[in-house]
Amino acid sequence: MNIPEKYQIKDIIAQKFYLVNGELRQWNGESSQVFSSISSTETYQPTLLGSIPNLGEKEAIESLDAAVAAYDRGQGLWPTMKVEDRISCMKKFVEQMKTKRAAVVKLLMWEIGKNLPDSEKEFDRTVDYIYDTIEDYKQMDRDSAKFEKHSGVNAHIRRGPLGVVLCLGPYNYPLNETFALLIPALIMGNTAIFKPAKFGVLLLCPLLEAFQNSFPKGVVNIIFGRGRTVANPIMKDGRVDVLALIGHSNSANALQSVHPKSNRLRMVLGLEAKNPAIVLEDADLDLAIDECIAGTTSFNGQRCTALKVLYVHESVVEEFNKRFSQKVDALKFGNPWEDGAQLTPLPEPNKPAYIQELIDDALEKGGKIINQKGGVTTDNYIFPAVVYPVTKNMRVYEEEQFGPIIPIISFSDIEEPLDDMAASNYGQQVSLFGKDVQTLAPLIDTLVNLVCRVNLNSSCQRGPDVYPFTGRKDSAVGTLSVHDALRSFSIRTFLASKDNAYNNAILKNLMDAKASNFVSTDYLL
């Protein structure tokens, strides 16, 4: 196989270290091999990329001990540090992170099959996210660098950290979405234990040293292993204050249930979704088809923001299906570094078989594959199947497929998709295609109460990262965006003082002495 030299895997990454309490500790126990579903040979076989430590409960609790000690009931160096000093640590980290771009991008391609442009975009977007977070944090500090007075009480109000965070990221955006949890949690003064996802784990190894030498010991602890082996004991211990997870609600529910003080556990969760598109009879079909192609097939549909069911008005469904199917079949399948490769190998070895199960179930219940290539299977892929008509008794209607199968439902009355959305367990986003204002206006008014983002004539997406990213029902807890994430990982806290000469003199002396990192009216530039 002709692989460009700069993307070839020449050295196996035998990862033997993990980060706890500021130390890169060597692991000599059991390891798990990491394979890519991309073959480097003409005859297909998975490619061995490396191995990672299979840490146990002992190592998990040691990482928790380190995070707890670093937070030290709010008295630790990190939670009490000046804002500008925490920002300085974060800047140091991101500058070192940028030097690892080539290594991380290559591993994004090999580990999860993300194509080259999207892998580069994920890295660069993550760097931008960190810088944007720093700037928003500065503005937050500027806004709080003041005293307020109401009803004879002076108040100095800031946002403070919550404590120890357990951070679990997803495999589909193992850098960007993981850091969308970790970075705001850290910069607000929390300490963290971070375990990477099952796939997309080696790409974080080049960043371990940057974490080690950018933050005080125990502030960031990075461990490897199976979730049940390391995450469960950490949660059962009860000293975790925040569960930050992007993944499936089953995982979130399981971890929350073992925490002995779930009533005081803060949760920041990005979970599954079944985002629909609604194509009205007056929609611009060229635009709708292009956006639905992007929404359903980008990264093979392995995104929580992917369009996972298409509702098309019965008056245009025949034309939509014909042209949509042709465009799906025209998509190029190839390895991630190949020019124009829009469809790439699936990282999960069992995913083609699962998609085939959904196809078989739909066919048994009256559905048809309406694109010529739909369901064609290779060792590491199954070509996107456009399935029509889809009914509510099919698994592909009910389940979040997270892969290349596209169900289409026709409707005559707009209440049909609206009722389905209202009954759904999920409520993240919707794509709405149409142009008549009198039709769109009441629809928008309803849809904003069913989901959290209505995309007008465009596919669903997370970005720009400055906009709120959240969901209703089983789709999310908390809001992730540059602005909102800082608030999700913090709590309002303040100093209050009765307005009298005695207290006011003390406050003045506090500010003049600059002895408190909390009580400060300094303006960060």
Side-chain angles (χ1 to χ4, degrees):
M1 181 176 292
N2 185 23
I3 302 174
E5 184 175 357
K6 66 179 178 177
Y7 302 131
Q8 292 176 13
I9 296 295
K10 298 178 180 178
D11 299 309
I12 301 300
I13 303 173
Q15 181 61 29
K16 293 289 186 181
F17 295 92
Y18 60 102
L19 179 62
V20 170
N21 204 34
E23 304 169 355
L24 284 172
R25 297 184 179 178
Q26 187 165 351
W27 175 249
N28 297 312
E30 177 190 351
S31 293
S32 291
Q33 290 183 316
V34 178
F35 288 93
S36 171
S37 64
I38 300 169
S39 179
S40 58
T41 60
E42 293 296 335
T43 303
Y44 180 80
Q45 61 180 21
T47 300
L48 178 63
L49 300 178
S51 60
I52 56 168
N54 262 347
L55 302 181
E57 181 174 343
K58 174 178 175 291
E59 291 73 32
I61 297 302
E62 286 174 351
S63 70
L64 176 59
D65 289 340
V68 169
Y71 191 70
D72 191 18
R73 297 176 298 179
Q75 301 174 84
L77 172 64
W78 187 248
T80 60
M81 188 179 284
K82 288 183 178 180
V83 168
E84 59 187 329
D85 292 336
R86 283 207 293 263
I87 288 173
S88 179
C89 291
M90 193 62 72
K91 285 182 175 178
K92 182 179 180 181
F93 169 76
V94 72
E95 289 302 313
Q96 293 178 58
M97 174 184 168
K98 289 191 293 186
T99 67
K100 304 297 183 181
R101 183 179 189 269
V104 173
V105 166
K106 183 164 80 168
L107 285 168
L108 272 167
M109 291 190 290
W110 278 96
E111 284 198 83
I112 64 169
K114 186 164 287 190
N115 68 27
L116 177 58
D118 284 349
S119 294
E120 292 175 331
K121 181 181 177 182
E122 177 164 352
F123 188 94
D124 296 339
R125 177 183 175 187
T126 305
V127 169
D128 289 342
Y129 183 93
I130 297 174
Y131 283 125
D132 289 344
T133 298
I134 289 171
E135 288 305 312
D136 203 278
Y137 188 37
K138 283 183 179 180
Q139 188 58 52
M140 177 192 291
D141 188 76
R142 294 176 192 128
D143 292 342
S144 61
K146 62 183 180 181
F147 275 81
E148 299 179 17
K149 186 171 74 171
H150 295 282
S151 302
V153 176
N154 292 308
H156 188 56
I157 305 170
R158 291 186 176 277
R159 297 197 72 91
L162 296 165
V164 176
V165 179
L166 175 60
C167 180
L168 304 171
Y171 83 78
N172 59 337
Y173 286 89
L175 188 71
N176 182 258
E177 292 208 341
T178 296
F179 279 31
L181 299 173
L182 187 59
I183 296 303
L186 291 175
I187 205 167
M188 288 308 303
N190 303 284
T191 61
I193 309 113
F194 161 50
K195 189 197 86 67
K198 183 178 179 181
F199 302 102
V201 56
L202 287 176
L203 61 90
L204 292 155
C205 296
L207 304 177
L208 285 182
E209 288 188 6
F211 277 115
Q212 180 194 22
N213 59 42
S214 298
F215 300 96
K217 70 176 187 176
V219 171
V220 187
N221 304 277
I222 301 176
I223 59 175
F224 303 95
R226 299 180 181 92
R228 289 182 181 178
T229 305
V230 295
N232 270 31
I234 289 172
M235 291 298 289
K236 283 181 180 178
D237 180 281
R239 288 181 290 168
V240 165
D241 300 293
V242 185
L243 173 61
L245 178 149
I246 295 179
H248 200 278
S249 57
N250 289 344
S251 299
N253 291 337
L255 288 170
Q256 182 189 8
S257 69
V258 300
H259 194 288
K261 293 282 189 179
S262 59
N263 61 293
R264 72 182 191 195
L265 177 68
R266 173 77 69 93
M267 292 190 293
V268 183
L269 310 175
L271 305 172
E272 64 265 36
K274 189 81 173 176
N275 292 339
I278 299 174
V279 181
L280 301 174
E281 56 188 323
D282 68 338
D284 180 329
L285 283 191
D286 289 329
L287 173 62
I289 288 167
D290 285 346
E291 290 292 327
C292 286
I293 290 286
T296 56
T297 65
S298 178
F299 194 41
N300 302 304
Q302 300 167 121
R303 302 176 301 123
C304 66
T305 56
L307 289 174
K308 297 192 176 78
V309 59
L310 308 182
Y311 289 91
V312 185
H313 193 273
E314 62 180 9
S315 66
V316 295
V317 70
E318 184 177 348
E319 181 68 15
F320 180 94
N321 286 352
K322 176 184 175 182
R323 291 162 58 184
F324 182 80
S325 297
Q326 290 172 348
K327 286 216 167 190
V328 170
D329 281 345
L331 297 173
K332 178 182 176 180
F333 172 76
N335 284 323
W337 47 82
E338 294 178 24
D339 287 342
Q342 295 158 294
L343 308 174
T344 51
L346 299 168
E348 296 177 276
N350 61 347
K351 183 56 69 75
Y354 167 70
I355 296 297
Q356 188 62 54
E357 286 180 15
L358 297 182
I359 292 173
D360 293 342
D361 175 76
L363 296 181
E364 288 174 9
K365 295 169 181 174
K368 295 180 181 179
I369 298 175
I370 61 173
N371 61 318
Q372 291 184 0
K373 294 183 181 179
V376 174
T377 304
T378 60
D379 291 298
N380 58 3
Y381 198 67
I382 182 167
F383 200 88
V386 184
V387 180
Y388 177 83
V390 166
T391 54
K392 294 181 183 180
N393 63 337
M394 296 177 185
R395 287 177 59 189
V396 74
Y397 171 84
E398 194 67 34
E399 298 176 24
E400 186 204 27
Q401 62 266 41
F402 219 74
I405 178 171
I406 307 163
I408 298 180
I409 301 172
S410 68
F411 70 93
S412 58
D413 186 339
I414 191 60
E415 293 300 322
E416 296 170 39
L418 293 181
D419 288 345
D420 288 352
M421 290 176 66
S424 171
N425 290 326
Y426 311 114
Q428 189 196 78
Q429 298 187 33
V430 64
S431 290
L432 178 61
F433 296 93
K435 63 182 178 183
D436 180 68
V437 172
Q438 298 305 315
T439 302
L440 290 173
L443 262 180
I444 292 169
D445 291 350
T446 297
L447 289 170
V448 292
N449 293 326
L450 296 176
V451 296
C452 290
R453 174 168 170 164
V454 178
N455 299 276
L456 182 60
N457 292 311
S458 62
S459 62
C460 298
Q461 60 181 326
R462 173 170 177 155
D465 286 321
V466 295
Y467 289 162
F469 180 60
T470 187
R472 298 174 183 271
K473 297 184 277 191
D474 289 346
S475 287
V477 175
T479 302
L480 292 173
S481 66
V482 170
H483 181 78
D484 295 296
L486 292 171
R487 287 149 182 84
S488 293
F489 288 101
S490 62
I491 191 167
R492 295 187 87 196
T493 183
F494 64 101
L495 172 71
S497 169
K498 287 186 177 179
D499 184 22
N500 57 49
Y502 179 75
N503 283 337
N504 292 349
I506 294 173
L507 290 180
K508 185 177 185 307
N509 289 337
L510 263 174
M511 288 184 286
D512 290 344
K514 298 186 183 298
S516 169
N517 292 342
F518 182 88
V519 181
S520 172
T521 54
D522 290 347
Y523 188 89
L524 280 182
L525 297 175

